[in-house]
Amino acid sequence: MLFRSDSARLETLLGALSRTSEPGVWMTTVRVGDAGRSLDLSGESRDGAAVLRYAEQLNRGLAPLGTRLNQLELNPSSRAPRPGEAPGALAFHLF
């Protein structure tokens, strides 16, 4: 797909982000760079497989842009559990 402007590229990227969801995946940070040519996401989940499913879905939505999330960092969350929340949250970084 040919993009006539950076704003059209950003609109497509934000549309892909808004249409992509996976139960149990919470986004905490979204960074868009180079007018939508790069994307950096951080968040939390209790299920590493859910994060992978989210990344696969988002990559399908980003395909027309030629933008792709190629790397995943997954670590235990440093955040203390909230009252009533079981420990075990995972922090992720997709880029």
Side-chain angles (χ1 to χ4, degrees), residues 29-66:
T29 305
V30 176
R31 290 187 186 96
V32 177
D34 195 19
R37 290 173 183 81
S38 68
L39 185 60
D40 188 314
L41 306 172
S42 297
E44 287 194 356
S45 181
R46 296 199 162 279
D47 181 1
V51 176
L52 289 174
R53 287 190 300 272
Y54 177 83
E56 289 171 354
Q57 290 176 46
L58 186 54
N59 275 334
R60 283 193 295 274
L62 296 173
L65 296 170

Side-chain angles (χ1 to χ4, degrees), residues 8-86:
R9 174 178 277 284
L10 287 170
E11 182 180 343
T12 301
L13 184 140
L14 293 173
L17 278 169
S18 70
R19 288 186 300 276
T20 305
S21 68
E22 179 65 34
V25 175
W26 300 278
M27 210 59 54
T28 58
T29 305
V30 176
R31 290 187 186 96
V32 177
D34 195 19
R37 290 173 183 81
S38 68
L39 185 60
D40 188 314
L41 306 172
S42 297
E44 287 194 356
S45 181
R46 296 199 162 279
D47 181 1
V51 176
L52 289 174
R53 287 190 300 272
Y54 177 83
E56 289 171 354
Q57 290 176 46
L58 186 54
N59 275 334
R60 283 193 295 274
L62 296 173
L65 296 170
T67 301
R68 185 163 177 80
L69 300 168
N70 292 317
Q71 296 184 23
L72 168 64
E73 294 174 358
L74 195 60
N75 296 295
S77 176
S78 60
R79 180 184 59 78
R82 293 178 183 96
E85 180 182 49

